[in-house]
Amino acid sequence: MMLKKIGKSITIVNAIAFTIVFLVGGISIYLTKEILHNAYKIEDLSKDIIEVDSIHSDAYRLVLSMHHFLLREDETFVHITSVLSELKGKIERYLESESDEYIKGENSEIALLKTVFEHVDKLTVVNDLIDEFNRTGKLDKDKLLSMEEHAYSIEVITADINKIHIEKINWWTNESLSNMWAILFMYLFFFLIGGVSIYAGHIALLKNLVRPIKELASATLEFADGKYDRRVKTDLETEIGQLYQSFNSMAEKLQENDEFLRKFNEELEIKVNERTGELLKTNDQLHRTQNALIRTEKIAAVGQIAAGVTHEIKNPLNSLSINAQMLMRDLTGKLEPDSAVHESANLIRYEINRINNILEEFVKFAKFPEPQFYDNDINQVISEVVELVSESAKKSGVTITVSCQSDMPIVKFDARQFKEVLLNLCQNAIRAINNSGSLNIESAAEKNNVIIKVKDTGEGIQEKNLDNIFSPFFSTKEGGMGLGLSIVQRIVESHGGRIRCSSQVGSGTTFTIFLPIERG
Ligand code: ADP
């Protein structure tokens, strides 16, 4: 609607401007034509003035000639006749050129011309007087003097005629000047009107069209740059106003969609993270279950082997032990106690004992007893273990520190088995400390678990070994069975708990046990 209005207004303004230009042009041409016309008239009048002035001069010359003749009464009369005929001829020519005016009717100039002609007519008598003078040699001076008056009158009247001519010239000049002023005034007036109209139109277009469109364009660019909260405001009730409203509602819808998409993406990301976490957990669980299964299989195999080997080895070993004892008894008193035979017999006994111990470890490992769950205090177990290892720790230069939470909950667990767990961990820790170091045992209750930490400042475990330390028969120690941590893990897991190990070579190792407070 607004654009239609603007289009219509522009057409009307153009039509008005065209009409004004046409009218001003027309009037200017007309006035210029008048000025030209006046110029021609002035030109004609100037010629008339010259002619009348010439008549005036001739009349003057005639008067002078008459005076001469009157004074001298000599040949100078020739001048009178020639000037008179010239004057007459000029007046006749002039009257002829002014015949149009003459026909048009009376006016003051024509009336004066007529009088001039009458005086000329009367002057012709001068010729008769001169003729008479030529013939008789006598001059009628009074008559000539009266004729002089006619010549003088002609002189005066011609001066009056030229006065009229000059007045007319003045009048036409003024008229031309007025026309010029009118043209100038019209030009300036319409120039001013045109300028003001153009300025007003420019302001109106700027306010109603250019600026709003510019703002809309910049808002669109900002919107495209991702500034979805950009809105535009206007009081215009035109198509531009409608455009603004459309932009705002479009922006609102797009912002809503963007918000929805953002939320959807966030939720999706959370869900993906959750699922990934779950998957990782499941994977970890699977991994652990797999490891546990392998371990269980290994343990079962070890159990079978242990049972068989023990059965097969135990009897010959017993007979070897008895025979060695008998040999020792026989040799006692017959040979020196520090003889080579005595030494060999002792070595045999020592090695038989070592094999026996290994077999017992095997059997213990294979016949893993079910834990006996009773209400127990873990801090109590810790202090018993510390007492057991304090001597060997002292010897190895290891300082033991204990930091136990005082109000620990009473938990159902097998105290004997847990004693074995902590003993194993502490012995390993002391062995890992070469010269001097510290062993720290901590206990705390956290959420659903009792947490026990065994930290040492020993040699640490290489990263590649961390996955294997809980496997049976894995050992980095010379003569190590590699069953200790495997038994520890079995005990902890049979209590529904977990054991984790973190270690840094050169800094030390920490074993963390999570023992559930409530058994599921
Ligand atoms: P063993 O003590 O007979 O070697 P374990 O099962 O007790 O068997 O230990 C397995 C291996 O774990 C050890 O040989 C050792 O390499 C490593 N280990 C266990 N505890 C520690 C510890 N506190 N510091 C460094 N290494 C350790």
Side-chain angles (χ1 to χ4, degrees), residues 428-429 432 456 461 469 474-477 480-482 484-485 509 511:
N428 276 348
D456 68 63
I461 303 167
I469 54 171
F474 176 84
S475 174
T476 58
K477 294 173 199 159
M481 284 278 290
L485 286 181
T509 308
F511 283 94

Side-chain angles (χ1 to χ4, degrees), residues 260-274:
F260 173 77
L261 272 176
R262 207 177 49 75
K263 270 190 189 151
F264 181 75
N265 271 347
E266 272 174 16
E267 278 168 18
L268 202 69
E269 208 176 303
I270 291 168
K271 272 183 187 156
V272 167
N273 283 343
E274 273 174 11

Side-chain angles (χ1 to χ4, degrees), residues 33-316:
K33 198 204 96 196
E34 283 296 299
I35 290 169
L36 266 177
H37 192 63
N38 287 349
Y40 286 134
K41 278 183 185 168
I42 289 167
E43 194 191 358
D44 284 348
L45 270 176
S46 301
K47 281 179 193 162
D48 287 354
I49 285 173
I50 292 165
E51 275 180 50
V52 172
D53 192 54
S54 164
I55 294 168
H56 173 79
S57 305
D58 283 355
Y60 181 64
R61 269 172 62 209
L62 191 63
V63 171
L64 281 180
S65 304
M66 280 177 175
H67 276 205
H68 253 265
F69 187 54
L70 276 171
L71 287 172
R72 292 197 192 167
E73 290 183 20
D74 57 3
E75 295 297 311
T76 49
F77 67 85
V78 183
H79 292 298
I80 298 171
T81 45
S82 70
V83 171
L84 185 63
S85 72
E86 254 178 64
L87 183 68
K88 207 177 169 190
K90 277 180 188 172
I91 291 170
E92 276 168 358
R93 274 199 306 278
Y94 184 69
L95 274 175
E96 212 174 296
S97 71
E98 294 294 305
S99 59
D100 285 352
E101 292 281 317
Y102 195 78
I103 292 159
K104 267 186 216 163
E106 286 291 316
N107 65 32
S108 51
E109 191 191 338
I110 297 299
L112 286 173
L113 270 175
K114 274 182 183 170
T115 326
V116 168
F117 205 70
E118 278 166 20
H119 283 296
V120 171
D121 244 5
K122 280 173 185 160
L123 266 174
T124 45
V125 179
V126 172
N127 288 328
D128 298 338
L129 283 176
I130 289 169
D131 278 349
E132 202 183 302
F133 173 73
N134 278 336
R135 263 188 289 116
T136 60
K138 282 186 181 171
L139 180 68
D140 187 347
K141 282 189 180 179
D142 290 335
K143 217 164 191 177
L144 193 63
L145 272 174
S146 71
M147 285 304 113
E148 190 214 350
E149 261 177 47
H150 285 298
Y152 182 70
S153 296
I154 291 169
E155 194 195 332
V156 172
I157 292 165
T158 47
D160 286 344
I161 291 171
N162 263 354
K163 263 186 203 159
I164 292 170
H165 283 163
I166 285 165
E167 269 171 20
K168 276 187 180 174
I169 285 177
N170 274 342
W171 192 84
W172 280 321
T173 309
N174 283 340
E175 198 187 57
S176 296
L177 215 62
S178 308
N179 287 348
M180 269 172 61
W181 278 117
I183 292 171
L184 191 69
F185 173 76
M186 269 192 312
Y187 168 74
L188 285 177
F189 179 73
F190 286 110
F191 176 78
L192 215 69
I193 294 270
V196 170
S197 313
I198 287 170
Y199 182 72
H202 173 74
I203 295 290
L205 274 181
L206 213 65
K207 194 174 159 247
N208 294 307
L209 211 66
V210 179
R211 269 192 210 136
I213 285 178
K214 254 187 173 177
E215 203 200 322
L216 197 64
S218 89
T220 315
L221 282 178
E222 281 177 37
F223 193 80
D225 270 355
K227 218 177 159 195
Y228 294 127
D229 58 346
R230 182 74 161 89
R231 298 286 182 277
V232 282
K233 212 178 138 212
T234 181
D235 298 332
L236 295 173
E237 288 175 359
T238 59
E239 284 94 338
I240 302 286
Q242 285 170 9
L243 211 60
Y244 268 48
Q245 276 172 12
S246 309
F247 175 86
N248 283 344
S249 57
M250 178 198 80
E252 209 148 299
K253 277 195 183 116
L254 278 173
Q255 194 182 11
E256 272 171 20
N257 281 354
D258 180 66
E259 188 69 12
F260 173 77
L261 272 176
R262 207 177 49 75
K263 270 190 189 151
F264 181 75
N265 271 347
E266 272 174 16
E267 278 168 18
L268 202 69
E269 208 176 303
I270 291 168
K271 272 183 187 156
V272 167
N273 283 343
E274 273 174 11
R275 294 282 180 278
T276 313
E278 277 169 21
L279 266 173
L280 282 173
K281 241 182 183 172
T282 316
N283 198 31
D284 191 46
Q285 190 77 34
L286 206 73
H287 192 67
R288 272 193 274 130
T289 314
Q290 211 173 21
N291 281 348
L293 216 68
I294 293 167
R295 241 182 4 255
T296 314
E297 271 177 22
K298 270 187 188 172
I299 289 163
V302 169
Q304 274 178 0
I305 294 166
V309 168
T310 310
H311 181 73
E312 293 301 324
I313 294 174
K314 236 350 200 232
N315 291 338

